[in-house]
């Protein structure tokens, strides 16, 4: 039997005044009254109100905000994705549907003929971005997924995802290590 | 340059106060002028007209107005400010949110338009009557509350008016004809009347709980009944000391007694004479209004909404307004009994006397302006007391049910008895 380490905590007895609640109620009242009068002050900067008037004052998103997906493009405007299936395999919501096709250019091999993200199932976890070996899918557009009234409109296809796309700094293909600007 | 905060607040409150005084003065002057110009209506109609006007102004204008505004400003805006929020501001008139005022109208319209649900097997008659049984007592009690002393029909010449009213300070006696314009009816046992009416309110709650055919409602109704009856004891006993000192049950005379100044500067209001009684009365009164921290009859966490679980539409609205009206009534009673009613310190019928009652007033005021100031002072006291109740309601967490009963029977009641005993000793010795 090992020794049990018991830590005794000192329990402070309540004093009579504390037990009677009256000074404590007055203290509490002091706090609320202070907040009340500060917050109705005619001067904005004295108020402690933290509410955002959301639709009227848009909030600023952080740089890491995961917005709508976008598919990056190559220099010649073709889709950068090589249909490796990493993202659709990893996607926990199983919402990326890719149909690969052979590319005419032998140095590219494959490209996604169909690339659909079901936005109704996507949980915006960002794992697809982490999984992509060639920086072809990103969620850094900083935009909301638009609202849709029709379920069919929730399937965002390749061309729609490419509309937001830009060029990546990373070089694609080959075996040389890309020189990163940073 | 930036105006300091305290100055801005003082300016705003001062502007509101002066505006109200001016408006009331104007109204009183206009009525007085009309009385001299127009022929007086024949007798029964004149009396009835005055009574109807008083009921309309006091009960429906002031009390209901304040109570229903409190549903918005007290519970939603004030709580929001305390908790660093903004509160409702999305309902707007022409793009102006007007400190949330449109919400108040929107809520009313919403309540009227909703479907009225009466549960199966509920007693339809009692279920429908209960909200009224709650609201009516909260309003009837105002009959005895004086907003101002008797109006003195003094001659309009200031010097003659001074002779007519000044008689014997500090108790103003009017030597000409008086009219009771600012109290709906003069009951010489006003306090008993008010208490009798307040204790009737419990029937509304119990009936609402019973008639709903719902176990939560029934438990809520029983809790409400038990809590209100328990606290009525301390509510009454806490005032016994006041009765001994003033020796009257008449609200008007109570207020008249509070005009005295101790050592020439300290107004002898009830709260100065009987501070413990004020504390007990206010606490028991808050428990009587069944609002947090004493909102056990509602008990959201365990009883859904207590006795009004089964109420919808304006029936629900009426129950809510009845709660707020009870809050305002407690404010009114406290103002009359403990805060000198219409009295403003140093203000007498012909102006402010800062340096004692001998000689000329420091600041002469016409009688009508004095009346207006006193009316505004009375309303202001009620508003502040209502505000204080809401402040307490948003400061304190709610009690557990056994704690409420413990507080009522084991703390407030002995304290009220001790207060009574000590007051009795002091009164009989001096
Ligand atoms: S964000 Fe997550 S859920 Fe959405 S597509 Fe990418 S991996 Fe799937
Ligand atoms: S987006 Fe990236 S991970 Fe997904 S299939 Fe294309 S290349 Fe592979």
């Amino acid at each position: 039997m090992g020794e049990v380490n018991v830590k005794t905590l000192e329990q402070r007895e309540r004093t009579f005044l504390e037990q009677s609640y009256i000074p404590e109620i007055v203290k509490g009242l002091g706090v609320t009254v202070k907040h009340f009068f500060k917050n109705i002050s005619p001067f904005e900067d004295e108020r402690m109100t933290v509410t955002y008037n959301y639709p009227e004052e848009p909030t600023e998103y952080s740089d890491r905000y995961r917005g709508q997906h976008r598919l990056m493009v190559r220099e010649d405007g073709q889709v950068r994705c090589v249909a490796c299936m990493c993202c659709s395999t990893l996607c926990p919501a199983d919402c990326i549907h890719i149909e690969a096709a052979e590319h005419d250019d032998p140095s590219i091999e494959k490209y996604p003929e169909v690339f659909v993200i079901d936005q109704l199932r996507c949980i915006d976890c960002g794992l697809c971005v982490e999984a992509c070996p060639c920086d072809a899918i990103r969620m850094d557009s900083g935009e909301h997924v638009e609202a849709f009234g029709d379920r069919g409109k929730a399937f965002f296809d390749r061309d729609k995802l490419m509309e937001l796309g830009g060029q990546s700094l990373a070089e694609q293909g080959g075996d040389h290590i890309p020189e990163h600007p940073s | 340059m930036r105006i300091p905060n305290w100055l801005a607040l003082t300016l705003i409150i001062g502007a509101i106060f002066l505006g109200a005084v001016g408006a009331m003065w104007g109204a009183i002057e206009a009525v007085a002028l009309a009385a001299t110009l127009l022929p007086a209506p024949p007798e029964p109609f004149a009396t009835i007209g005055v009574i109807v006007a008083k009921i309309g102004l006091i009960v429906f204008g002031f009390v209901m107005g304040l109570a229903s505004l409190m549903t918005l400003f007290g519970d939603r805006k004030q709580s929001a400010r305390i908790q660093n929020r903004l509160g409702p501001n999305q309902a707007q008139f022409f793009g102006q949110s007007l400190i949330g005022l449109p919400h108040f109208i929107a809520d009313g319209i919403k309540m009227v338009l909703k479907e009225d649900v009466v549960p199966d097997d509920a007693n339809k008659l009692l279920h429908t009557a209960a909200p009224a049984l709650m609201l009516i007592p909260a309003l009837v009690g105002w009959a005895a509350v004086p907003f101002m002393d008797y109006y003195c029909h003094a001659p309009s010449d200031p010097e003659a008016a001074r002779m007519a009213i000044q008689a014997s300070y500090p108790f103003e006696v009017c030597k000409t004809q008086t009219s009771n314009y600012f109290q709906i009816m003069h009951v010489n046992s006003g306090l008993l009347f008010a208490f009798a009416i307040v204790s009737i309110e419990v029937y509304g709650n119990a009936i609402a709980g019973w008639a709903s055919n719902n176990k939560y409602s029934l438990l809520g109704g029983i809790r409400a009944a038990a809590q209100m009856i328990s606290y009525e004891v301390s509510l009454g006993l806490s005032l016994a000391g006041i009765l001994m000192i003033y020796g009257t049950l008449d609200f008007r005379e109570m207020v008249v007694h509070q005009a005295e100044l101790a050592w020439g500067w300290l107004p002898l209001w009830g709260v100065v004479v009987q501070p413990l009684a004020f504390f007990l009365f206010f606490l028991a009164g808050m428990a009587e209004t069944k609002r947090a921290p004493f909102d056990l009859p509602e008990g959201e966490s365990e009883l859904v909404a207590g006795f009004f679980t089964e109420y919808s539409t304006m029936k629900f609205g009426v129950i809510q307004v009845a709660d707020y009206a009870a809050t305002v009534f407690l404010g009114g009673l406290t103002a009359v009994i403990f805060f000198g009613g219409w009295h403003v310190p140093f203000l007498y019928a012909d102006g402010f006397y800062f340096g004692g009652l001998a000689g000329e007033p420091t600041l002469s005021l016409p009688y009508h302006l004095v009346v207006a100031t006193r009316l505004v002072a009375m309303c202001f006291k009620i508003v502040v007391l209502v505000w204080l109740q809401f402040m307490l309601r948003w400061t304190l967490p709610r009690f557990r049910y056994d704690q409420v009963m413990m507080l009522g029977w084991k703390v407030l009641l002995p304290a009220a008895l001790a207060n009574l005993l000590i007051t009795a000793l002091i009164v009989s010795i001096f």
Side-chain angles (χ1 to χ4, degrees):
Chain A
M1 289 269 283
E3 267 182 38
V4 183
N5 219 350
V6 180
K7 190 178 176 192
T8 37
L9 289 176
E10 287 288 322
Q11 287 268 344
R12 195 170 61 87
E13 288 275 307
R14 282 198 212 125
T15 61
F16 174 74
L17 273 183
E18 280 170 343
Q19 190 72 50
S20 77
Y21 288 116
I22 297 165
E24 305 299 314
I25 287 177
V26 172
K27 264 188 226 164
L29 205 58
V31 172
T32 45
V33 168
K34 194 184 93 193
H35 276 244
F36 178 74
F37 280 112
K38 274 206 159 173
N39 283 329
I40 60 168
S41 136
F43 304 109
E44 297 273 347
D45 52 335
E46 301 217 339
R47 298 188 196 155
M48 306 193 247
T49 315
V50 290
T51 311
Y52 253 95
N53 276 319
Y54 168 60
E56 291 98 40
E57 304 169 11
T59 50
E60 275 182 23
Y61 295 129
S62 78
D63 292 342
R64 296 170 58 190
Y65 173 73
R66 294 200 283 262
Q68 193 194 322
H69 297 83
R70 58 173 178 157
L71 283 179
M72 310 297 281
V73 294
R74 291 166 193 267
E75 272 164 29
D76 56 0
Q78 296 184 59
V79 66
R80 201 176 155 91
C81 169
V82 294
C84 70
M85 302 292 196
C86 283
C87 56
S88 77
T89 310
L90 191 60
C91 174
D94 202 7
C95 65
I96 307 180
H97 174 73
I98 301 170
E99 280 172 26
E102 211 164 314
H103 200 279
D104 295 339
D105 184 346
S107 68
I108 297 182
E109 288 188 18
K110 284 204 291 181
Y111 79 103
E113 198 172 29
V114 178
F115 190 110
V116 179
I117 295 181
D118 179 356
Q119 294 289 5
L120 280 176
R121 291 175 69 177
C122 172
I123 55 169
D124 293 296
C125 63
L127 287 181
C128 48
V129 181
E130 299 291 324
C132 182
C134 52
D135 195 18
I137 187 166
R138 287 198 190 174
M139 297 180 78
D140 60 356
S141 60
E143 285 183 23
H144 288 292
V145 176
E146 67 192 52
F148 23 77
D150 179 2
R151 273 164 191 263
K153 300 224 175 79
F155 297 104
F156 284 17
D157 61 11
R158 190 191 66 187
D159 296 340
K160 184 173 172 75
L161 292 170
M162 275 168 68
E163 274 169 21
L164 285 172
Q167 278 188 15
S168 169
L169 280 174
E171 257 178 65
Q172 198 164 29
D175 49 12
H176 67 275
I177 300 162
E179 269 181 53
H180 223 274
S182 62
Chain B
M1 197 198 78
R2 249 200 48 185
I3 315 167
N5 206 359
W6 58 268
L7 185 63
L9 254 177
T10 324
L11 284 179
I12 291 170
I13 293 174
I16 292 173
F17 181 76
L18 286 182
V21 170
M24 283 205 191
W25 185 29
I28 292 169
E29 287 282 5
V31 170
L33 187 68
T36 55
L37 293 183
L38 302 175
E43 193 23 60
F45 299 108
T47 319
I48 292 171
V50 168
I51 290 177
V52 169
K54 283 194 286 193
I55 293 178
L57 277 177
I58 295 181
V59 174
F60 295 104
F62 179 70
V63 179
M64 285 294 280
L66 186 57
S68 43
L69 270 186
M70 276 298 138
T71 58
L72 175 78
F73 288 125
D75 254 4
R76 295 166 70 189
K77 276 299 198 185
Q78 188 175 340
S79 68
R81 291 307 184 182
I82 294 168
Q83 296 162 353
N84 294 357
R85 294 183 286 115
L86 285 178
N89 61 357
Q90 291 299 305
Q92 293 173 339
F93 276 140
F94 306 110
Q96 298 296 316
S97 72
L98 302 173
I99 43 178
L101 207 59
H103 273 272
F104 165 61
I105 295 153
D107 282 349
I109 295 173
K110 180 189 80 179
M111 290 218 183
V112 171
L113 293 182
K114 279 207 167 179
E115 185 194 353
D116 180 18
V117 184
V118 180
D120 270 356
D121 297 332
N123 186 327
K124 293 230 166 45
L125 178 68
L126 290 182
H127 186 269
T128 313
L133 288 181
M134 271 177 247
L135 180 60
I136 291 171
L139 298 181
V140 170
W142 285 96
V145 176
F147 276 69
M148 233 302 286
D149 207 347
Y150 291 157
Y151 180 78
C152 188
H153 291 277
S156 51
D157 172 37
E159 202 45 47
R162 207 176 153 207
M163 292 315 295
I165 307 169
Q166 198 186 6
S168 66
Y169 282 119
F171 303 119
E172 289 157 17
V173 177
C174 183
K175 282 182 180 160
T176 60
Q177 197 196 348
T178 57
S179 301
N180 187 9
Y181 281 154
F182 304 107
Q183 183 184 15
I184 293 176
M185 81 186 175
H186 178 233
V187 207
N188 54 14
S189 54
L191 191 69
L192 290 186
F193 175 77
F195 270 80
I197 294 297
V198 164
S199 45
I200 283 180
E201 206 185 328
V202 70
Y203 288 108
N205 299 301
I207 287 175
W210 180 257
S212 296
N213 188 30
N214 177 325
K215 286 179 184 127
Y216 293 125
S217 300
L218 179 57
L219 282 172
I222 291 172
R223 276 189 178 188
Q227 180 178 324
M228 290 177 82
I229 290 171
S230 314
Y231 275 84
E232 225 139 73
V233 182
S234 358
L235 196 69
L237 272 177
S238 64
L239 285 189
I242 284 276
L243 295 187
M244 275 182 204
I245 291 176
Y246 295 145
T248 174
L249 287 165
D250 186 342
F251 280 138
R252 187 190 149 261
E253 277 179 37
M254 276 189 201
V255 182
V256 167
H257 274 284
Q258 296 178 47
E260 281 178 273
L261 297 177
W263 306 293
W265 58 270
L266 181 67
L268 275 181
W269 290 354
V271 67
V272 179
V273 187
Q274 289 264 294
L276 184 61
F278 162 68
F279 185 74
L280 298 175
F281 179 79
F282 203 60
L283 210 62
M286 276 188 74
E288 194 72 13
T289 58
K290 309 183 296 307
R291 290 170 42 75
F294 300 103
D295 61 344
L296 275 303
E298 290 175 36
E300 283 94 350
S301 49
E302 64 263 24
L303 292 183
V304 190
F307 57 88
F308 56 87
T309 307
E310 294 290 357
Y311 281 89
S312 50
T313 68
M314 210 55 203
K315 286 183 191 167
F316 170 79
V318 168
I319 292 177
Q320 289 290 309
V321 172
D323 260 11
Y324 293 101
T327 310
V328 182
F329 187 52
L330 174 64
L333 279 189
T334 317
V336 166
I337 302 172
F338 289 102
F339 285 91
W342 59 77
H343 286 305
V344 181
F346 309 113
L347 178 66
Y348 295 96
D350 49 2
F352 282 101
Y353 288 82
F354 291 116
L357 277 168
E360 290 291 302
T362 326
L363 179 65
S364 266
L365 294 175
Y367 181 60
H368 289 170
L369 190 55
V370 171
V371 172
T373 313
R374 286 178 167 178
L375 279 174
V376 171
M378 174 74 185
C379 298
F380 178 71
K381 282 172 189 174
I382 295 175
V383 170
V384 168
L385 285 166
V386 170
W387 174 84
L388 185 65
Q389 289 180 59
F390 278 93
M391 221 61 209
L392 276 169
R393 180 237 189 287
W394 288 103
T395 303
L396 301 178
R398 69 129 72 90
F399 289 99
R400 218 167 49 213
Y401 193 64
D402 60 323
Q403 290 171 332
V404 167
M405 283 298 161
M406 198 106 86
L407 183 72
W409 290 105
K410 289 193 181 167
V411 181
L412 290 193
L413 187 60
L417 284 172
N419 182 48
L420 178 60
L421 196 68
I422 293 167
T423 317
L425 277 178
I426 293 175
V427 168
S428 58
I429 288 170
F430 297 103

